[in-house]
């Protein structure tokens, strides 16, 4: 029966070969020809071979391999033809089509490679087996011995009557048993125990090796020990991660871990839960016996060490990453911990990237909740000091500047510095409105910002990876809340009006008020400082307000204007200690702090002294009155005394003109090029301010500009001292001028008296008795009067000459220092003081 089947198969093969050769005109299809016999033998080789592929059944991969082979051989046209044919072949489905397409392609590839080997190397190929010459299927006998066929590489694969394959597999199994005392199933289960941190029967934790190892008492091959050591790395990593979770959740106090640390531990615990599920599946598979190599396993659900290595490939990568994060975050908390974990998320592996994102969503959840609460509610929910915004208890006036700050160590790397600054300012604005301004309008602005950003004011609206949503929320909230804050400052608390009031009263911009105040307080301030009553000066201040246009200002502004007496020492006059101050309450004291008001006080003292010098020069001019005072005395004086008087008066007037020129131009520079220009710039920046920080910066710039241009800065101290010396010199000139004109007035009285009759002279004596007692002039005779007058005028002229010389020297020194100042506006002052270059020409001679 078997012979009939063999003959039928042989007939079918012959018929197939005949049909194939008949289509090839170059081949002889006769059954007796050598081509027919060769092709028949090759077909039988193919059909009787056992070609078990070592690759996965993938038709596309095999087709790609064939195309690459044709292309590398320089057969590009054939490669394109094959690609077109394969496309058509792969697209055919349904009845009549080939289901196992990859097997057909694999067969064609093996045949092509076999034929190539036979052409290039030898006739007997290693890809397909040869048949012996006495093959019963061909029905031929050959005289050649079988041994010669084995020497040619002939291998019987159609049948294995001696069962050599099974024998080889059994010998291999026995060899494995000799090399390994313990079966692989037992070792697999021990490895699974070790991966859970539990010692097995043979695989245990070794402190010296710091890892799980197979006991040296167990006989095992070196390869098995190496494989177990690699697999048990999972157990070592598991112990590290599990130990960190246990220490964090049980041993350490809560404040040392914080909410971010607890979230990190919870995320790690969730990953370990997934790991436990995998181990449960693997333990179930480990219960199935491992089949021998020769056995065809009915089911693939068994677990060997090599299969376990494949199963552990992805969990091992995750566990290693978790162990690295545990080591990195052991001493960190809060934003610093989130930032450290974020750095490990910058990875090109999609598996690692997705794992880190999932982990960071859990870890950063408390942090983003702190951001949401701070930006939308102004609440700093940070009981464990994890947030990058830090608050401290301060007074209301210091809330904006010192109440809150950024903690750079807690700022995670996925939040930029600029975004952190906006987050800080937004929450700070809410607290400023709530505490300092007692305003609740910010709540509506925060709700509008949340709606505009597509989130809610409730918890859980933000998370890791939503940076765009976070920036949109922060920008929207900052824009609306800052606008509301500025509206409150300008409309409710009239910030600009208060700045203007300080400019008008402390910076002496209200001219009529300043002039009247100086007129009425001048006599009082000429007294010693310790003899002046501040209550009386306050009354004089009220009088000056009621007597000028200042009376029409807002009463709230006028009530803030007070008299302040600075600390004084022995010999100080009222001019040295008198000043005005402006009281700023919450929230205005955020801008007008103590340091700011101290700068305003220094500017006021400078301007007040400048106005005092101007007032003194005006008083000197009023005292001169040359036409009224000297008209009568010039005709009756001795000719020498008359010339000396004219010389003294001329020197006094020339010196007054020089001093007046200096003071007038300096005051013009201060009032217009310093105060008015700085105020104009400040007004523009005030209107353009987007938040309170911009407003504070604009005011600081405004105050700094006045301070520097007024020669009060650190780099202008030498120049400022020279200027104050000039002021003192001008005040000394006022005293000399007063003495001169008092003496001229006395001389006039004496001259008139000497020309009166005796009766009128006695009346005049009684009326001027008191003044005569104070003078050093002798009333006996015209000669004595002329002598005393000449001596007095010479002394005064000498004093004025010395004063003029000292003034010229100081003024030239002052002007010579102006070009060395860095501020460009001081060049305009130099031009105004020395527009004729008179002093510049004198400098080389000095």
């Amino acid at each position: 029966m078997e012979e009939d089947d063999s003959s039928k198969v042989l007939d079918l093969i012959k018929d197939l070969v005949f049909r194939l050769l008949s289509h090839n005109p170059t081949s002889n299809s006769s059954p007796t020809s050598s081509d027919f016999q060769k092709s028949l033998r090759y077909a039988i080789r193919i059909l009787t071979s056992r070609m078990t592929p070592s690759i996965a059944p993938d038709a596309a991969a095999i087709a790609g391999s064939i195309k690459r082979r044709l292309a590398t051989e320089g057969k590009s046209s054939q490669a394109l033809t094959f690609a077109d044919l394969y496309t058509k072949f792969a697209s055919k489905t349904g009845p009549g089509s080939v289901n196992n397409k990859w097997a057909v392609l694999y067969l064609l590839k093996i045949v092509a490679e076999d034929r190539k080997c036979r052409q290039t190397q030898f006739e007997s190929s290693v890809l397909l087996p040869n048949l012996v010459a006495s093959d019963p299927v061909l029905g031929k006998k050959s005289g050649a011995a079988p041994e010669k066929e084995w020497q040619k590489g002939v291998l019987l694969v159609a049948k294995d009557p001696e069962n050599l394959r099974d024998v080889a597999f059994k010998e291999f199994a026995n060899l494995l048993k000799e090399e390994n005392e313990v079966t692989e199933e037992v070792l697999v289960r021990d490895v699974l125990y070790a991966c859970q941190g539990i010692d097995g029967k043979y695989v245990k934790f070794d402190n010296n090796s710091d890892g799980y190892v197979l006991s040296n008492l167990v006989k095992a091959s070196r390869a098995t020990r190496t494989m177990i050591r690699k697999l048990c790395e999972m157990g070592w990593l598991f112990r590290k991660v599990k130990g960190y979770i246990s220490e964090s959740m049980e041993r350490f106090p809560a404040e040392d871990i914080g909410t971010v640390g607890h979230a990190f531990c919870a995320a790690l615990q969730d990953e370990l839960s997934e790991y436990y599920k995998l181990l449960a599946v693997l333990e179930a598979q480990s219960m199935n016996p491992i089949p021998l190599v020769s056995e065809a396993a009915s089911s693939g659900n068994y677990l060997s060490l090599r299969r376990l290595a494949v199963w552990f490939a992805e969990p091992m990568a995750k566990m290693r990453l978790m162990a690295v994060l545990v080591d990195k975050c052991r001493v960190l908390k809060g934003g610093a911990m989130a930032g450290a974990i974020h750095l490990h998320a910058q990875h090109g592996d999609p598996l690692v990237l997705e794992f880190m994102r999932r982990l960071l969503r859990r870890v950063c959840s408390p942090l983003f909740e702190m951001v949401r609460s701070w930006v939308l509610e102004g609440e700093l929910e940070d009981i464990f000091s994890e947030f990058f915004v830090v608050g401290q208890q301060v007074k209301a006036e210091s809330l904006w500047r010192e109440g809150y700050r950024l903690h750079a160590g807690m700022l995670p790397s996925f939040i930029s510095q600029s975004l952190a600054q906006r987050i800080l300012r937004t929450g700070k604005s809410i607290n400023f409105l709530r505490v300092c301004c007692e305003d609740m309008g910010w709540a509506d602005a925060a709700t509008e910002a949340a709606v505009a950003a597509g989130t809610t004011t409730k918890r859980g609206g933000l998370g890791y990876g939503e940076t765009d949503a976070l920036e949109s929320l922060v920008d929207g909230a900052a824009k609306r809340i800052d606008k509301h804050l500025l509206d409150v400052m300008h409309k409710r608390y009239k910030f600009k009006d208060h700045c203007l009031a300080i400019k008008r009263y402390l910076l002496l911009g209200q001219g009529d008020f300043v002039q009247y105040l100086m007129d009425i307080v001048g006599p009082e301030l000429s007294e010693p400082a310790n003899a002046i009553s501040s209550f009386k000066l306050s009354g004089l201040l009220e009088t000056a307000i009621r007597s000028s246009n200042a009376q029409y200002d807002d009463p709230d502004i006028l009530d803030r204007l007070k008299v302040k007496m600075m600390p004084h020492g022995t010999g100080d006059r009222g001019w040295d200690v008198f000043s005005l101050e402006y009281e700023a309450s919450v929230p205005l004291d955020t801008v007008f702090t103590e340091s700011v008001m101290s700068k305003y006080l220094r500017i006021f003292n400078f301007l007040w002294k400048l106005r005092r010098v101007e007032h003194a020069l005006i008083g000197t001019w009023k005292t001169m009155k040359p036409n009224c005072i000297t008209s009568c005395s010039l005709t009756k004086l001795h000719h020498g005394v008359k010339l000396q008087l004219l010389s003294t008066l001329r020197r006094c007037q020339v010196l007054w003109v020089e001093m007046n020129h200096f003071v007038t131009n300096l005051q013009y520079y201060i009032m217009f090029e310093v105060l008015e220009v700085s105020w104009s710039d400040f007004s523009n920046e005030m209107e353009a301010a987007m938040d309170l920080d911009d407003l504070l910066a604009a005011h600081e710039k405004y105050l700094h500009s006045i301070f520097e241009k007024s020669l009060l800065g650190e780099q202008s101290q030498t120049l400022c001292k020279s200027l104050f010396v000039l002021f003192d010199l001008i005040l000394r000139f006022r005293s000399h001028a007063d003495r001169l004109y008092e003496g001229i007035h006395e001389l006039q009285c004496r001259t008139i008296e000497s020309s009166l009759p005796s009766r009128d002279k006695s009346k005049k004596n009684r009326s001027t008795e008191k003044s005569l007692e104070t003078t050093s002039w002798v009333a006996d005779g015209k000669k004595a009067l002329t002598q005393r007058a000449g001596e007095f005028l010479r002394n005064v002229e000498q004093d004025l000459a010395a004063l003029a010389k000292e003034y010229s020297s100081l003024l030239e020194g002052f002007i010579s220092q102006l070009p060395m100042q860095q501020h460009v506006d001081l060049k305009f002052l130099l031009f105004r003081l020395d527009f004729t270059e008179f002093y510049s020409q004198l400098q080389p001679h000095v």
Side-chain angles (χ1 to χ4, degrees):
M1 186 67 181
E2 292 181 359
E3 293 180 357
D4 293 340
D5 293 338
S6 300
S7 61
K8 289 181 180 180
V9 171
L10 182 60
D11 291 339
L12 291 174
I13 296 173
K14 290 180 179 180
D15 187 43
L16 175 62
V17 173
F18 178 77
R19 290 176 178 273
L20 293 174
L21 292 178
S22 61
H23 289 84
N24 189 358
T26 61
S27 300
N28 189 356
S29 60
S30 175
T32 59
S33 63
S34 59
D35 291 341
F36 183 85
Q37 293 296 327
K38 187 177 180 181
S39 299
L40 177 62
R41 187 176 181 84
Y42 189 70
I44 292 175
R45 286 179 61 212
I46 295 174
L47 295 176
T48 57
S49 66
R50 298 177 180 178
M51 294 183 295
T52 303
S54 60
I55 60 175
D58 189 350
I62 296 177
S65 176
I66 295 174
K67 285 189 290 184
R68 286 192 297 273
R69 178 170 172 268
L70 292 174
T72 54
E73 292 177 355
K75 302 176 182 179
S76 301
S77 60
Q78 295 183 12
L80 295 176
T81 303
F82 173 79
D84 184 53
L85 292 175
Y86 170 72
T87 303
K88 296 178 181 179
F89 177 66
S91 62
K92 291 185 178 181
T93 57
S97 62
V98 179
N99 293 328
N100 204 1
K101 295 181 175 62
W102 74 272
V104 175
L105 294 175
Y106 182 75
L107 174 63
L108 295 176
K109 180 181 178 183
I110 293 299
V111 170
E113 292 177 354
D114 179 72
R115 293 180 65 183
K116 182 178 179 181
C117 292
R118 293 177 68 240
Q119 292 175 2
T120 56
Q121 296 179 0
F122 42 81
E123 183 177 359
S124 178
S125 172
V126 296
L127 296 176
L128 292 175
N130 290 329
L131 295 177
V132 295
S134 60
D135 195 326
V137 178
L138 294 175
K140 292 184 179 181
K141 299 291 183 176
S142 176
E147 290 78 9
K148 294 182 179 180
E149 295 296 332
W150 281 103
Q151 292 175 2
K152 294 180 180 180
V154 178
L155 180 63
L156 292 173
V157 295
K159 295 181 180 179
D160 187 12
E162 298 181 5
N163 201 15
L164 297 178
R165 177 182 175 128
D166 293 340
V167 172
F169 284 148
K170 289 180 180 179
E171 290 180 356
F172 178 72
N174 293 332
L175 182 62
L176 290 178
K177 290 181 180 180
E178 292 177 0
E179 291 184 352
N180 298 282
E181 181 180 347
V182 182
T183 61
E184 189 172 2
E185 291 91 338
V186 175
L187 293 178
V188 167
R189 284 193 289 271
D190 269 20
V191 169
L192 291 177
Y193 288 143
C195 291
Q196 301 175 61
I198 304 173
D199 288 345
K201 185 177 181 181
Y202 303 103
V203 179
K204 299 181 180 180
F205 187 82
D206 184 14
N207 293 324
N208 296 328
S209 301
D210 190 23
Y212 288 94
V213 295
L214 182 62
S215 175
N216 294 327
L217 301 178
V218 178
K219 185 179 180 182
S221 64
R222 182 177 180 181
T224 301
R225 291 182 179 275
T226 303
M227 178 66 73
I228 291 175
R229 182 63 184 266
K230 289 182 179 180
L231 291 174
C232 289
E233 181 187 355
M234 181 74 80
W236 183 85
L237 297 172
F238 174 82
R239 282 168 57 98
K240 179 183 287 290
V241 176
K242 187 66 177 178
Y244 172 79
I245 296 175
S246 301
E247 291 177 359
S248 301
M249 304 300 290
E250 297 175 5
R251 295 184 183 179
F252 291 162
E255 56 270 16
D256 291 341
I257 300 300
T259 57
V260 176
H262 280 285
F264 178 50
C265 292
L268 293 178
Q269 189 61 50
D270 290 345
E271 295 296 331
L272 291 184
S273 298
E274 295 296 324
Y275 174 67
Y276 290 147
K277 294 179 182 179
L278 173 63
L279 291 181
V281 174
L282 295 179
E283 286 183 357
Q285 292 186 10
S286 68
M287 303 305 295
N288 298 327
I290 302 176
L292 296 176
V293 182
S294 60
E295 297 176 357
S298 59
S299 173
N301 291 332
Y302 65 90
L303 195 63
S304 63
L305 291 176
R306 294 186 179 275
R307 283 198 170 196
L308 188 58
V310 175
W311 274 103
F312 275 177
E314 181 176 334
M316 183 77 77
K318 293 182 179 179
M319 197 67 73
R320 284 173 180 167
L321 190 55
M322 287 191 289
V324 170
L325 295 178
V326 164
D327 288 337
K328 187 71 175 179
C329 301
R330 190 174 295 276
V331 295
L332 301 177
K333 68 175 184 177
M337 177 183 290
I341 298 174
H342 168 73
L343 293 178
H344 289 81
Q346 313 304 309
H347 205 285
D349 189 348
L351 173 65
V352 176
L353 185 61
E354 179 59 29
F355 170 76
M356 291 303 301
R357 285 181 177 176
R358 184 172 65 252
L359 188 68
L360 280 167
R361 289 191 194 100
R362 294 288 302 277
V363 172
C364 296
S365 178
L367 194 63
F368 276 88
E369 176 56 31
M370 294 178 194
V371 173
R372 185 207 62 80
S373 177
W374 174 253
V375 170
L376 297 181
E377 301 173 8
E379 296 293 340
L380 198 58
E381 299 178 354
D382 185 22
I383 57 177
F384 300 124
S385 301
E386 301 174 281
F387 197 33
F388 54 85
V389 175
V390 180
Q392 57 183 350
Q393 295 292 332
V394 294
K395 296 180 180 179
E397 60 268 19
S398 303
L399 178 66
W400 183 266
R401 299 177 185 270
E402 303 174 4
Y404 303 97
R405 60 178 178 86
L406 284 180
H407 185 191
M410 289 296 172
L411 181 61
S413 54
F414 52 83
I415 295 180
S416 64
Q417 186 72 23
S418 60
L419 179 59
Q421 289 290 347
R422 295 197 298 273
I423 292 173
L424 171 66
R425 191 183 68 246
T426 304
K428 192 164 60 172
S429 298
I430 294 176
N431 282 277
F432 184 81
L433 285 168
R434 182 165 50 203
V435 176
C436 298
C437 302
E438 298 180 354
D439 179 84
M440 296 301 295
W442 58 266
D444 296 334
T447 304
E448 292 176 4
V451 173
T455 182
T456 63
T457 56
K458 299 180 179 179
R459 295 179 177 270
L462 294 173
Y464 177 80
E466 300 176 356
T467 307
D468 294 339
L470 175 63
E471 290 193 359
S472 177
L473 174 64
V474 173
D475 291 342
K479 181 178 179 181
R480 289 170 172 80
I481 294 174
D482 287 338
K483 182 178 182 300
H484 179 71
L485 174 56
L486 291 180
D487 289 341
V488 171
M489 290 293 291
H490 286 301
K491 297 178 181 178
R492 181 176 172 183
Y493 291 98
K494 301 177 181 179
F495 173 74
K496 187 173 183 179
D497 293 344
H498 289 286
C499 291
L500 184 59
I502 290 177
K503 174 180 175 293
R504 294 171 60 189
Y505 299 117
L506 294 191
L507 304 185
L508 308 184
Q510 186 71 26
D512 57 341
F513 164 77
V514 175
Q515 187 63 41
Y516 192 82
L517 177 64
M518 190 161 288
D519 289 338
I520 62 176
V521 301
E524 188 71 21
L525 296 181
S526 300
E527 301 295 329
N530 53 10
I532 298 176
S533 171
S534 59
F535 296 101
K536 185 175 181 180
L537 292 178
S538 299
L540 295 177
L541 175 63
E542 293 291 334
T543 303
I545 291 175
R546 290 194 301 269
S547 302
S548 62
N549 288 330
Q551 61 181 317
Y552 302 111
D553 278 349
D554 188 347
D556 178 62
I557 292 177
L558 297 177
D559 291 341
R560 297 172 183 269
L561 192 61
K562 306 292 182 182
V563 171
K564 179 179 180 180
M565 301 298 291
M566 294 183 295
H568 56 272
T570 305
D572 288 339
R573 296 284 175 175
W575 290 104
D576 302 320
V577 298
F578 174 80
S579 64
L580 297 179
E581 66 175 351
Y582 193 84
E583 295 182 351
S585 58
V586 178
L588 295 175
D589 54 1
T590 300
V591 181
F592 305 119
T593 60
E594 292 184 3
S595 61
V596 168
M597 298 311 294
S598 65
K599 287 186 176 182
Y600 275 122
L601 179 60
R602 287 189 60 187
I603 298 173
F604 171 82
N605 291 332
F606 170 73
L607 297 177
W608 183 254
K609 195 161 190 177
L610 178 59
R611 282 300 185 96
R612 178 193 174 190
V613 170
E614 180 195 22
H615 189 265
L617 288 176
I618 294 175
T620 303
W621 176 254
K622 292 179 179 179
T623 305
M624 287 181 179
K625 297 182 181 180
N627 295 329
C628 298
I629 297 176
T630 61
S631 59
C632 297
S633 61
L634 288 178
T635 58
K636 298 180 176 61
L637 287 176
H638 187 270
H639 180 71
V641 176
K642 183 188 302 183
L643 292 178
Q644 193 169 12
L645 176 61
L646 292 175
S647 175
T648 305
L649 290 174
R650 183 178 180 277
R651 180 178 292 278
C652 181
Q653 290 179 355
V654 170
L655 188 56
W656 180 90
V657 170
E658 290 184 11
M659 292 180 175
N660 184 68
H661 167 75
F662 172 73
V663 172
T664 302
N665 284 281
L666 179 61
Q667 186 179 16
Y668 175 87
Y669 164 76
I670 294 295
M671 299 307 296
F672 292 96
E673 296 186 12
V674 175
L675 297 180
E676 292 300 329
V677 172
S678 300
W679 173 258
S680 177
D681 295 340
F682 176 49
S683 298
N684 295 333
E685 293 180 3
M686 194 188 312
E687 295 296 331
M690 302 299 295
D691 51 64
L692 188 56
D693 280 332
D694 291 346
L695 197 62
L696 292 174
H699 182 263
E700 288 288 342
K701 181 180 178 182
Y702 164 69
L703 186 58
H704 179 74
S705 175
I706 297 175
F707 211 69
E708 292 296 326
K709 292 180 183 180
S710 300
L711 309 178
L712 298 176
E714 292 294 334
Q715 299 179 353
S716 304
Q717 289 299 308
T718 304
L719 198 62
C720 184
K721 292 179 181 178
S722 300
L723 183 60
F724 284 165
V725 173
L726 281 171
F727 287 167
D728 293 338
L729 197 62
I730 294 173
L731 294 177
R732 284 169 52 196
F733 166 74
R734 167 68 187 272
S735 64
H736 285 294
D738 289 345
R739 185 163 65 92
L740 170 63
Y741 285 99
E742 286 177 2
I744 293 175
H745 180 69
E746 187 72 20
L747 177 61
Q748 182 185 16
C749 294
R750 288 300 180 182
T751 304
I752 295 173
E753 180 184 357
S754 63
S755 62
L756 290 176
S758 59
R759 183 180 61 183
D760 296 335
K761 186 182 297 185
S762 61
K763 295 180 179 179
K764 185 66 177 177
N765 288 338
R766 287 194 300 270
S767 63
T768 59
E769 183 176 357
K770 185 176 181 180
S771 64
L772 290 177
E773 291 176 356
T774 61
T775 182
S776 62
W777 294 353
V778 181
D780 298 334
K782 185 175 182 180
K783 184 177 179 180
L785 178 63
T786 302
Q787 182 180 358
R788 292 295 183 181
E791 183 181 354
F792 168 74
L793 292 175
R794 281 195 301 271
N795 292 336
V796 172
E797 187 174 10
Q798 290 176 1
D799 292 341
L800 290 176
L803 192 67
K805 184 178 180 181
E806 184 178 0
Y807 173 78
S808 298
S809 176
L810 290 174
L811 182 60
E812 290 170 11
F814 177 80
I815 292 177
S816 65
Q817 295 181 50
L818 286 177
M820 295 183 292
Q821 301 302 311
Q822 295 183 355
H823 210 288
V824 66
D825 287 350
L826 291 176
K827 295 182 179 180
F828 294 101
L829 176 60
L830 174 63
F831 173 75
R832 295 191 63 86
L833 294 177
D834 193 21
F835 64 93
T836 62
E837 299 184 356
F838 172 77
Y839 297 103
S840 300
Q841 295 176 1
L842 292 179
Q843 286 179 14
H845 304 287
V846 177

